[in-house]
Amino acid sequence: MAFESLTEKLQNVFKGLRAKGRLTEADVKSAMKEVKMALLEADVNFKVVKNFVKTVEERAIGADVMSGLNPGQMVIKIVNEELINLMGSEGAEIQLQPGKAITVLMMCGLQGAGKTTTTAKLAGKYKLKGKKCLLVACDVYRPAAIKQLQVNGEKQGVEVFSMGDGQSPVDIAKASIEHAKKNGHNLVILDTAGRLHIDEEMMAELQQIKENVEVHQTILVVDVMTGQDAVGVAKDFDEKVGIDGVILSKMDGDSRGGAALSVKAVTGKPIFYAGMGEKLSDLEQFYPDRMANRILGMGDVLSLIEKAQESIDISEEKEKEMSERMKKGRFDFEDYLESMKQMRKMGGLGSILSMLPGMGVSAAELEGAIDEKQMARMEAIVLSMTVEERRNPKLLNPSRKHRIAKGAGVDIAVVNRFIKQFEQSQKMMKSLPQMMGGKKGKRGGFGGFGGLGKMGRMPF
């Protein structure tokens, strides 16, 4: 995820502060100097960094240390609060028209920012919220833009309105509203054309659409991998067309992430969503407090809970059954396969662990610790077992293990080690019943995973 380098640098700064019994003014200024460099290297806007550091420094030097916090923790608390303020204090929602009235959203952005994919992701989000969406193909210039929207719309189960590339975007937008009225759509999302850079022609076209169609929200998609350029793009679009908010794309990449910390401060416009992956489901609502926690290495359990509830498709009955089985240490290899399947839906073990607080490892260490190939080998071992062997591991005698090793293409020692670790995990599950159970929506965020905080000891 973006910010990995920034998180590591900030954690190192705060580690030094925690080691001190009391902080002097010199300690605070020295730490803030390091924070300033870390933010600049993360490509945060220079003016934003300057104001941020000044505010934190003033608060930290004059702060009374709260009960239960040491001076170092107090500085971390102040930094966290100011990061939240920087990104907008609280999560912002796209404003929709009430009831069955049609809401028109106009998506805009530069070519390559991921606008068309983000448009489809947004439609998928609102479809889940009960909206009848209509995607409108207004990009008549980029080759395959219409086809891309149609393919993504089909995957999301959302209708796409297109008049081909022979009509003007303004006429297409106007016709789409009539189509929406006749067919009961209450959310129309216009996918407009982008350019490689901002030019008068593109801006004029967007202005013409807004003059001919009542656009309720204009949403800019910016690529965080372009760093400070993304902030400049947001400022230009807002001045020339007028935007109501921003969606950040490619937040899962190895970008420095400065755009997320700069856009709101520079433009005054809120960040609505962040694209966290290539899948059409990988669009998360942007919450400044959660993002600040991630940046400071404090985890993001609330987002993990929401991700679990959206991704996991285990029925309440099945979940209750798995819960009871785990409490009794009867977690078998069939359950293992189910957990692997659900974990993949949530983005994999790395994605899950990155949201958990207190892991005590850097992003680089986390990546090194999680060997996806090793996990695939373990899954191959289980898939080489018969159904009876998966459900009753006690059947696994030496001859069966040799057959399984051959089927999985691994040494018999690997199979033996995996089975031994699995048995240890069963004992662990039995000793941790409090990690399981709960009604739907209260799964501890992990929906049948048996305590993801302990995944490191599972036989992966």
Side-chain angles (χ1 to χ4, degrees):
M1 192 192 89
F3 295 122
E4 286 179 356
S5 177
L6 175 60
T7 298
E8 289 175 33
K9 288 187 173 82
L10 291 179
Q11 284 181 327
N12 288 334
V13 173
F14 297 141
K15 196 180 291 180
L17 289 178
R18 285 196 197 97
K20 297 179 182 290
R22 59 181 295 274
L23 295 182
T24 65
E25 185 173 327
D27 290 332
V28 172
K29 287 188 173 180
S30 175
M32 286 304 103
K33 189 175 180 181
E34 291 182 58
V35 170
K36 180 180 179 180
M37 289 305 299
L39 291 170
L40 289 173
E41 286 174 13
D43 222 4
V44 181
N45 179 275
F46 174 72
K47 288 182 180 177
V48 172
V49 173
K50 187 179 177 182
N51 292 333
F52 176 83
V53 170
K54 183 183 176 184
T55 304
V56 172
E57 199 171 283
E58 287 174 355
R59 285 189 61 191
I61 290 172
D64 292 323
V65 177
M66 289 175 63
S67 174
L69 295 179
N70 64 38
Q73 290 170 330
M74 192 66 195
V75 174
I76 296 169
K77 180 178 182 295
I78 292 169
V79 169
N80 186 44
E81 289 171 353
E82 291 304 321
L83 279 175
I84 293 169
N85 288 336
L86 200 62
M87 292 183 283
S89 297
E90 55 188 38
E93 289 273 7
I94 294 172
Q95 297 300 308
L96 304 182
Q97 298 300 295
K100 295 183 178 180
I102 297 174
T103 301
V104 181
L105 308 181
M106 183 171 77
M107 308 293 287
C108 57
L110 293 184
Q111 198 168 305
K115 178 171 47 57
T116 298
T117 301
T118 300
T119 299
K121 287 180 179 180
L122 195 60
K125 280 282 178 191
Y126 279 102
K127 182 189 174 189
L128 292 174
K129 293 180 180 181
K131 290 290 181 182
K132 187 174 181 183
C133 305
L134 180 68
L135 290 170
V136 184
C138 290
D139 185 352
V140 296
Y141 311 108
R142 180 170 64 89
I146 296 172
K147 183 65 177 175
Q148 182 188 355
L149 190 66
Q150 288 171 334
V151 169
N152 286 341
E154 187 177 343
K155 287 179 182 176
Q156 296 283 42
V158 174
E159 184 183 345
V160 175
F161 181 85
S162 168
M163 294 170 63
D165 56 11
Q167 301 289 326
S168 78
V170 173
D171 290 339
I172 295 170
K174 286 164 69 176
S176 72
I177 306 301
E178 293 305 313
H179 180 86
K181 288 177 182 176
K182 290 176 184 176
N183 293 276
H185 297 279
N186 53 13
L187 181 59
V188 176
I189 310 178
L190 310 176
D191 179 34
T192 65
R195 304 281 196 282
L196 293 174
H197 55 83
I198 291 172
D199 61 25
E200 293 303 318
E201 191 178 350
M202 174 176 61
M203 294 301 181
E205 185 170 283
L206 295 173
Q207 288 163 353
Q208 285 168 12
I209 291 175
K210 292 183 83 167
E211 286 168 5
N212 285 273
V213 173
E214 186 180 5
V215 174
H216 299 100
Q217 297 267 276
T218 302
I219 300 167
L220 176 69
V221 180
V222 294
D223 177 357
V224 296
M225 298 185 78
T226 59
Q228 287 197 47
D229 287 346
V231 182
V233 167
K235 195 174 179 183
D236 283 346
F237 267 90
D238 188 39
E239 288 174 354
K240 294 175 181 177
V241 180
I243 62 172
D244 296 289
V246 174
I247 294 179
L248 302 174
S249 67
K250 307 178 188 178
M251 280 287 285
D252 58 313
D254 57 0
S255 67
R256 290 169 287 182
L261 289 172
S262 307
V263 166
K264 176 67 167 67
V266 172
T267 66
K269 304 300 179 183
I271 300 169
F272 292 133
Y273 288 92
M276 306 300 293
E278 293 182 6
K279 290 188 291 186
L280 288 173
S281 57
D282 292 334
L283 189 68
E284 294 181 10
Q285 189 159 355
F286 189 88
Y287 294 100
D289 55 343
R290 300 185 192 183
M291 189 56 68
N293 286 345
R294 286 198 206 185
I295 292 168
L296 295 178
M298 297 176 181
D300 184 2
V301 175
L302 287 174
S303 290
L304 180 56
I305 290 169
E306 289 172 3
K307 199 168 188 177
Q309 290 173 339
E310 287 178 8
S311 305
I312 293 172
D313 57 6
I314 300 176
S315 66
E316 279 196 61
E317 189 178 329
K318 175 71 173 174
E319 181 186 354
K320 189 175 180 181
E321 181 191 332
M322 283 184 72
S323 175
E324 290 302 318
R325 287 160 59 76
M326 285 186 179
K327 285 177 186 177
K328 295 174 183 176
R330 295 176 183 168
F331 182 83
D332 62 27
F333 288 112
E334 289 276 271
D335 298 319
Y336 175 88
L337 287 178
E338 180 64 32
S339 287
M340 293 288 282
K341 174 186 168 186
Q342 301 297 343
M343 188 166 60
R344 269 197 296 272
K345 285 185 178 180
M346 290 177 65
L349 185 57
S351 173
I352 294 166
L353 293 182
S354 70
M355 291 187 184
L356 288 172
M359 291 304 298
V361 293
S362 68
E365 289 171 327
L366 185 61
E367 189 176 341
I370 300 168
D371 186 343
E372 297 290 347
K373 289 183 180 178
Q374 176 72 357
M375 291 177 72
R377 277 194 288 273
M378 299 305 101
E379 193 168 8
I381 290 172
V382 179
L383 290 170
S384 295
M385 299 176 186
T386 64
V387 174
E388 290 76 16
E389 288 166 347
R390 287 180 213 153
R391 291 175 179 169
N392 185 8
K394 290 180 181 179
L395 293 174
L396 297 173
N397 57 32
S399 64
R400 288 175 184 258
K401 289 177 183 176
H402 276 286
R403 190 202 79 243
I404 291 164
K406 190 174 180 181
V410 298
D411 190 84
I412 183 66
V414 175
V415 174
N416 284 328
R417 185 165 61 248
F418 172 66
I419 292 171
K420 186 177 180 181
Q421 288 173 333
F422 192 86
E423 288 169 353
Q424 290 171 345
S425 296
Q426 285 179 311
K427 291 175 184 176
M428 180 194 76
M429 293 296 178
K430 194 173 183 179
S431 67
L432 291 171
Q434 71 274 18
M435 300 295 286
M436 289 299 300
K439 297 177 182 178
K440 192 170 184 180
K442 294 184 179 179
R443 305 176 176 181
F446 311 125
F449 276 73
L452 289 172
K454 303 292 181 183
M455 275 292 200
R457 289 172 56 190
M458 287 290 283
F460 296 141

